[in-house]
Amino acid sequence: MEFLWIPITLVAAAAQTARNATQRGLTDRLGVMAAAQVRFLFGLPFALLGFWAILYFGDEPVPRLTQTAAIYAALGALAQVVAMMVQLDGMRRHSFAVVTAMAKTEPILLAGLSVVMLGEVLAPMAWLGVIVATVGVMTLSIDFSRPEAMARDRVALAMGAASGLGFAGSAVWMRSALLALPE
């Protein structure tokens, strides 16, 4: 039972790749904005169900929403949508694999943004874990042995990194929204 996380992780990774590939196909038919909207509208019922479950089964009252928290949440939501649109556009026009790999730089970007924007302190082992995971994903995803492919994929690299930065920014702003709640 202790190694159950391995097949769960593999299934989740395969499902995420399949979802991204399906969305990439939707991008060709519907356009970038509509494909991004499909993703978020598809998730809305699940988010509402989760919110209902927290209200129904939880003991805590719903926190009072402050203006600051609402602004941070709106910035986080906007960053999430823009990051998804950049990722989908990069996958459509350039390289699915390269854009996806570079979007996975989100953890290291998130760690850096958390330090800069929130003043958080990460332990050295946490930094090591973030760096090893990021380098591992990039090493497995990008063919560094072909410099001509890397040069050709510069735009894909940039779009993937911009997408990762948008996802990281979204997480930081959402955390800022939570921290701005009075309770």
Side-chain angles (χ1 to χ4, degrees):
M1 197 61 138
E2 76 181 74
F3 293 105
L4 188 59
W5 68 270
I6 295 171
I8 291 171
T9 301
L10 292 173
V11 168
Q16 185 176 21
T17 302
R19 181 198 64 204
N20 285 344
T22 301
Q23 253 190 304
R24 194 237 175 265
L26 279 177
T27 304
D28 286 341
R29 290 195 306 269
L30 302 176
V32 171
M33 189 175 294
Q37 288 174 348
V38 165
R39 178 182 184 132
F40 294 110
L41 290 176
F42 179 80
L44 182 61
F46 297 102
L48 293 174
L49 180 64
F51 184 60
W52 172 83
I54 289 169
L55 291 177
Y56 188 76
F57 295 110
D59 301 2
E60 301 293 321
V62 176
R64 186 176 41 85
L65 184 63
T66 65
Q67 182 179 6
T68 303
I71 290 169
Y72 283 139
L75 288 170
L78 180 63
Q80 180 82 13
V81 171
V82 170
M84 179 50 52
M85 290 173 58
V86 169
Q87 183 178 11
L88 289 173
D89 193 41
M91 289 187 308
R92 178 178 60 93
R93 294 193 305 158
H94 301 288
S95 169
F96 178 89
V98 172
V99 171
T100 300
M102 291 306 293
K104 300 303 179 199
T105 59
E106 175 190 352
I108 198 162
L109 295 169
L110 174 57
L113 287 178
S114 294
V115 168
V116 171
M117 293 174 67
L118 300 175
E120 294 187 353
V121 178
L122 285 166
M125 289 304 288
W127 276 111
L128 180 63
V130 168
I131 291 167
V132 167
T134 302
V135 169
V137 168
M138 292 177 63
T139 301
L140 292 173
S141 303
I142 300 173
D143 186 0
F144 292 101
S145 66
R146 295 185 11 235
E148 72 281 354
M150 292 293 290
R152 185 186 68 237
D153 289 338
R154 277 192 310 249
V155 175
L157 289 165
M159 291 183 85
S163 174
L165 182 61
F167 290 130
S170 174
V172 168
W173 276 320
M174 290 300 182
R175 177 144 168 75
S176 297
L178 289 172
L179 294 173
L181 294 173
E183 292 86 1

